[in-house]
């Protein structure tokens, strides 16, 4: 009789151990989805946007969604501009590419608005920003006047002192790809003698206001700006030496 009771107690203890082992196994093992759960997940996968914007979706949930659907993101800054090329590589290999503009840091944007509101042009703002310690996002000593001008357009800032104090005659304001000559000279870091020499050579095309003070307005699109910047990199006397060299070569070819 005692032997039978002992065997019964051993059996109950073994059953309890098996139950505890099963509980531990189920807690540590992956959950096996029911058909209803599979159907719910399939429906959610077909409406990622709705799942993303749902009130019940937390920030942690959104991070998990990104990890599940995005393999990697490739970001390439286009030169030294504010434009950025972004390529999203989705899980499964599909790519989506596009271009975005990097946001302007609020402190810099506020300062540009403040200085532009004082009637200071892009070149003057660039000088002030350098003095105050603002630097380009990708490094370098100063934010260029061209970058400031682009930011002023994006921030809808006033165009500068020339326009505020003495507007052009109606219909004669600088249009697309046009500059007050003073602003173009500041953009290219040109002296007065250089700018008028380039106008005389036909490298800069200008028109003049119809009334006093008869300021010059220059045309320079992105291609022309690139050409003018290249000319600024050439050493003094480069064109004179080129003219003499070509003249000497022509004379040599004509000599019998």
């Amino acid at each position: 009789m005692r032997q039978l009771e002992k065997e019964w107690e051993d059996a109950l203890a073994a059953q309890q151990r098996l139950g505890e082992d099963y509980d531990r196994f189920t807690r540590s093992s992956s959950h096996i989805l029911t058909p209803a759960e599979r159907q719910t997940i399939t429906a959610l996968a077909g409406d990622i946007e709705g799942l993303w914007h749902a009130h019940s979706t937390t920030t942690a949930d959104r991070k998990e969604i990104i990890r599940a659907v995005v393999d990697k993101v490739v970001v390439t800054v286009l030169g030294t501009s504010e434009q950025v090329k972004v390529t999203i590589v989705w899980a499964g290999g599909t790519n989506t590419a596009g271009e975005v503009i990097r946001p302007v840091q609020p402190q810099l944007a506020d300062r540009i608005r403040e200085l532009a509101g004082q009637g200071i042009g892009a070149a003057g703002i660039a000088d002030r920003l350098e003095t105050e310690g603002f630097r380009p996002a990708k490094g370098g000593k100063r934010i260029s006047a061209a970058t400031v001008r682009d930011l002023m357009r994006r921030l809808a800032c006033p165009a500068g002192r020339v326009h505020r104090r003495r507007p052009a005659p109606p219909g004669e304001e600088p249009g697309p790809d046009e500059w007050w000559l003073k602003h173009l000279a500041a953009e290219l870091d040109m002296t007065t003698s250089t700018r008028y020499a380039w106008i005389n050579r036909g490298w800069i095309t200008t028109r003049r206001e119809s009334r006093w003070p008869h300021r010059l307005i220059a045309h320079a699109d992105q291609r022309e700006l690139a050409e003018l910047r290249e000319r600024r990199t050439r050493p003094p006397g480069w064109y004179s030496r080129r003219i003499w060299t070509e003249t000497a070569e022509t004379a040599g070819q004509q000599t019998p």
Side-chain angles (χ1 to χ4, degrees):
M1 188 66 177
R2 290 181 178 178
Q3 180 63 30
L4 184 59
E5 290 177 354
K6 183 178 182 303
E7 291 177 356
W8 178 252
E9 291 174 355
D10 291 342
L12 290 176
Q15 183 182 14
Q16 184 176 356
R17 287 195 300 272
L18 287 173
E20 293 172 352
D21 291 342
Y22 177 76
D23 289 340
R24 284 194 296 270
F25 173 77
T26 55
R27 286 196 300 268
S28 62
S29 300
S30 301
H31 176 65
I32 299 176
L33 301 177
T34 65
E37 289 173 331
R38 291 178 179 272
Q39 184 177 1
T40 300
I41 292 175
T42 301
L44 290 173
D47 186 21
I48 296 295
E49 183 176 359
L51 177 62
W52 183 272
H53 293 290
H55 294 297
S56 58
T57 303
T58 64
T59 301
D61 293 333
R62 293 187 177 95
K63 290 180 179 180
E64 289 296 329
I65 293 172
I66 293 175
R67 293 189 186 100
V69 300
V70 175
D71 184 20
K72 63 179 178 179
V73 178
V74 180
V75 178
T76 305
V77 178
L78 302 181
T80 59
S81 69
E82 298 295 312
Q83 292 182 312
V84 178
K85 181 178 180 181
V86 180
T87 301
I88 301 175
V89 181
W90 301 94
T94 303
N95 294 349
T96 300
E99 291 186 8
V100 298
I101 298 178
R102 290 182 290 175
V104 182
Q105 54 176 291
Q107 185 179 4
L108 175 60
D110 291 343
R111 188 57 177 146
I112 289 177
R113 288 192 182 97
E114 181 181 0
L115 294 172
Q118 298 173 11
I120 302 175
I125 292 176
D127 292 339
R128 190 76 64 85
L129 294 176
E130 181 182 10
T131 301
E132 295 175 2
F134 288 95
R135 295 292 181 268
K138 292 191 66 179
K141 293 185 61 177
R142 62 179 276 135
I143 299 173
S144 69
T147 299
V148 171
R149 189 172 290 105
D150 289 339
L151 293 176
M152 290 173 69
R153 293 192 188 103
R154 289 169 54 187
L155 298 171
C157 293
R161 177 176 291 126
V162 172
H163 299 274
R164 283 173 59 87
R165 293 192 174 181
R166 192 185 300 127
E172 297 184 20
E173 302 86 354
D177 298 323
E178 287 191 325
W179 311 61
W180 293 106
L181 182 60
K182 177 181 177 181
H183 288 174
L184 180 62
E187 177 69 23
L188 299 172
D189 192 22
M190 299 169 60
T191 63
T192 301
S193 60
T194 299
R195 75 181 80 162
Y196 285 104
W198 285 21
I199 292 173
N200 292 333
R201 291 180 176 181
W203 294 342
I204 298 178
T205 303
T206 61
R207 60 182 176 89
R208 190 180 294 275
E209 287 179 301
S210 61
R211 66 187 185 198
W212 189 88
H214 303 292
R215 293 166 297 183
L216 289 174
I217 299 172
H219 182 278
D221 57 24
Q222 293 301 313
R223 179 187 60 80
E224 292 168 323
L225 273 178
E227 292 178 355
L228 294 173
R229 288 195 179 96
E230 183 192 2
R231 291 184 190 277
R232 291 291 293 144
T233 63
R234 293 170 182 168
W238 187 88
Y239 291 100
S240 298
R241 288 194 297 273
R242 181 181 178 185
I243 292 173
W244 282 106
T245 301
E246 291 178 349
T247 302
E249 290 178 350
T250 302
Q253 292 172 358
Q254 295 176 351
T255 301

